[in-house]
Amino acid sequence: MRTKPVDRIVAEGGHGEGGELRRSMSLLQLTLFSVGATLGTGIFVVLGEAVPKAGPAVVLAFVLAAVTALFSALSYAELAGTIPVSGSSYSYAYATLGELVAWVCGWCLLLEYAVSVSAVAVGWGSYLNEFFDKAGAGTMPAAISNPPGDGGLVNLPAVVVVVIAALLLLRGTSESARANTVMVFLKIAVLLFFCAVAFTAFHSGNLTPFAPMGWAGISAAGSKVFFSYIGFDAASTAGEEARNPRRDLPLAIVLSLAIVTAVYVLVGLAAVGAMHWTRFSLSGSEASLALVLDRATGRAWPSMILSLGAVVAIASVVLTVMYGQTRILFAMSRDGLVPHVFQRVSPGRAVPVANTVIVAAFIGILAAAVPLGRLVDATSIGTLFAFALVSVGVIVLRRTRPDLPRSFRTPLYPLTPLIGVALCVYLMVGLGSVTWIVFALWTLAGLVAYFLYGRRHSRLAAETSGVPGKEPR
């Protein structure tokens, strides 16, 4: 239950073994980092799974998930402005709820970041195949484009996009941020193109009945599409590389959430208006937006443009979320809870090279071998748990350290963080029993790892007990 002092967490920011991270990211780059990590995941990949659950009311499912994310985002904004470091909710939990809870939070962030990247990478391969097909080049064999369990042996495209993202990250943070900025603007342009084309085939009759499964369907779809909001907190993982973190981090988090919510609702409405919701369940395709354009227009070129844009755009999700994962492990390694190798910084590039390579290898293997659906639900429940902890952390830190300078204060305190916790729990309940079993087993594995390794190597434990801890390697 020992907590790490906020002043010390902030003072250690940017420092690693062998070098330091550089403060190079502006407000625009931070905002687009969060947009890049968020926008695309749900719309390009998960929409086809959510529409059969809610019908045209999938638009409300996006709003429900957005409201849940908003309450968490406001809590994130306060803590990001108060504790502007790379650890995100892991560091916030360490400062407020104690080391064990922080470890569990960090363990859940492995689901939010590493596993969500794998899921997006799986969807990237679907759009790549869609583009090849529309361009008349045929499609890749299922054996090398689908994971085991989905009719293939290995998902090779997923591995390729992970490797590309890793190479960009290894070049440096500034280079990665510039590449992401280009990809995000392209992504938004592609989605606006989709809306422009889809609305030409809009039929109001496709919206009737609006909610065929009632509120239960909307709620179930909300739990599913919450996956599409994972990543809005990516700016909080750049706390040690932001030029003005106390001012820019809260703004970037709230602005990015507003941007992606507006785009999701607009694209969702265009999709169900252009194609009847019952057709989504018959498609069997993860490239659902391309299917909408194909059936709505009867022409191949609109879906070819969309698929090409999605290939580039989804790569930005892989890039930014992988970045977030490496920075969280960087913070955990600095505290001694994971091996020392994750905090080693290249003096020339100012990036954790070994950390990035290890994360890319783990994500690549996962993306190559695990089907998309299982990844989505597991990611959502881990993320919702971490978001709930952040809301609790706001309440605890307000009570224990009311004197801390806060560049942003969560409005309507304590109602806002309490509602955030309640909504997270509500969406967690909407996930299936299998997902809960997987989450319980994942948490149990995390606890075993903590008591076998993290607790014994914790720097804070060694300092508070006066006994030097075993140096982690």
Side-chain angles (χ1 to χ4, degrees), residues 384-408:
L384 286 165
F385 181 76
F387 284 4
L389 289 182
V390 171
S391 297
V392 172
V394 169
I395 298 173
V396 172
L397 200 60
R398 286 278 190 106
R399 293 176 63 87
T400 58
R401 292 296 307 274
D403 57 308
L404 284 175
R406 291 169 169 84
S407 59
F408 177 87

Side-chain angles (χ1 to χ4, degrees), residues 3 24 45 56 110 179 203 224 230 283 306 350 355 370 399 410 418 449 459:
T3 58
S24 60
V45 179
L110 288 176
H203 295 289
K224 176 69 70 174
I230 292 171
S283 67
L306 179 80
N355 183 341
V370 182
R399 293 176 63 87
T410 301
L418 289 174
R459 287 181 57 199

Side-chain angles (χ1 to χ4, degrees), residues 137-358:
T139 59
M140 292 176 287
I144 62 169
S145 60
N146 292 329
D150 275 358
L153 298 176
V154 62
N155 193 325
L156 188 60
V159 177
V160 171
V161 73
V162 169
V163 171
I164 293 172
L167 292 175
L168 276 172
L169 290 174
L170 290 173
R171 287 180 59 84
T173 301
S174 296
E175 292 81 359
S176 300
R178 284 195 291 268
N180 175 68
T181 298
V182 173
M183 288 190 284
V184 168
F185 281 122
L186 174 61
K187 183 184 329 193
I188 293 175
V190 166
L191 290 173
L192 292 178
F193 165 79
F194 168 83
C195 292
V197 176
F199 275 123
T200 63
F202 189 92
H203 295 289
S204 59
N206 288 339
L207 303 182
T208 305
F210 185 69
M213 282 75 167
W215 180 253
I218 296 172
S219 177
S223 298
K224 176 69 70 174
V225 303
F226 185 81
F227 178 81
S228 62
Y229 288 92
I230 292 171
F232 75 82
D233 56 325
S236 66
T237 66
E240 296 172 26
E241 290 163 283
R243 293 174 187 167
N244 190 349
R246 292 190 184 276
R247 183 200 69 181
D248 293 348
L249 292 181
L251 283 173
I253 291 170
V254 175
L255 284 173
S256 63
L257 182 60
I259 292 170
V260 300
T261 300
V263 173
Y264 281 161
V265 171
L266 184 64
V267 173
L269 180 61
V272 295
M275 187 173 79
H276 197 270
W277 68 274
T278 55
R279 292 187 177 181
F280 284 83
S281 60
L282 301 176
S283 67
S285 172
E286 289 160 2
S288 54
L289 293 191
L291 179 68
V292 170
L293 291 185
D294 199 22
R295 294 195 175 185
T297 65
R299 301 172 182 174
W301 67 267
S303 58
M304 184 177 71
I305 292 176
L306 179 80
S307 298
L308 177 60
V311 166
V312 178
I314 292 180
S316 73
V317 179
V318 177
L319 173 68
T320 51
V321 178
M322 273 183 62
Y323 166 87
Q325 178 63 82
T326 61
R327 289 345 185 234
I328 291 169
L329 286 171
F330 176 82
M332 295 178 73
S333 176
R334 193 166 53 201
D335 293 330
L337 300 184
V338 298
H340 212 235
V341 65
F342 289 100
Q343 66 162 315
R344 292 176 185 162
V345 177
S346 167
R349 300 180 183 178
V351 296
V353 173
N355 183 341
T356 303
V357 172
I358 294 171

